[in-house]
């Protein structure tokens, strides 16, 4: 029974085109800036207990013992203190914490320390060079680019 005298293909096309047209209009009017995209980690990227422990121990060493103040600190020394390989520590800093490399991580900790010292009213008379040297920078030459980069992040 076909009261309009159309074949089945024509009827299918007439039914599908309004849906395609509606979808096209919806996509054109979609404002991606207003949508809230949450970052979803893949199962493989979920931190293991060991990775969380390494991050926690690293944070403790940096916060409590202020290892970043040692301007001769090498990743091999830090890995040894954490009881992990250099490769594992690099992987943790790069992938799990999100820094480009060990130097960037170390300088970020140093810049945080400089900010803390500069916010202390008692330290107003101390020169920036002294503060930079006390927090592990070798000179103002290394401090200035690091602090600028940290402001950009």
């Amino acid at each position: 029974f076909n009261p309009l005298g159309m074949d089945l293909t024509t009827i299918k096309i007439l039914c599908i085109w309004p849906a395609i047209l509606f979808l096209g209009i919806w996509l054109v009017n979609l404002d991606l800036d207003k949508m809230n995209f949450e970052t979803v980690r893949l199962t493989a990227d979920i931190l293991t207990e060991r990775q969380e422990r390494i991050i926690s121990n690293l944070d403790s060493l940096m916060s409590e013992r202020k290892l970043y103040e040692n301007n001769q600190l090498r990743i091999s020394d830090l890995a040894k203190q954490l009881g992990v390989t250099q490769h594992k520590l690099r992987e943790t800093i790069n992938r799990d914490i999100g820094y480009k490399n060990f130097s960037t991580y170390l300088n970020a900790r140093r810049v945080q320390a400089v900010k803390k010292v500069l916010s202390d009213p008692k330290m107003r008379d101390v020169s920036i060079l002294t503060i930079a040297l006390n927090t592990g920078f070798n000179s103002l030459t290394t401090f200035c680019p690091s602090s600028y980069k940290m402001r950009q992040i």
Side-chain angles (χ1 to χ4, degrees), residues 7-20:
D7 63 7
L8 189 58
T9 306
T10 306
I11 294 172
K12 286 180 183 177
I13 289 173
L14 289 174
C15 291
I16 292 174
W17 273 107
I20 292 173

Side-chain angles (χ1 to χ4, degrees), residues 54-87:
I54 293 169
I55 292 170
S56 175
N57 292 344
L58 177 61
D59 189 53
S60 293
L61 279 175
M62 289 297 173
S63 299
E64 295 165 13
R65 295 184 48 204
K66 299 181 180 184
L67 293 181
Y68 56 83
E69 290 179 350
N70 176 358
N71 62 6
Q72 300 297 316
L73 183 64
R74 297 180 313 197
I75 195 163
S76 58
D77 302 330
L78 189 54
K80 197 177 290 182
Q81 289 189 39
L82 289 168
V84 298
T85 64
Q86 287 183 47
H87 173 75

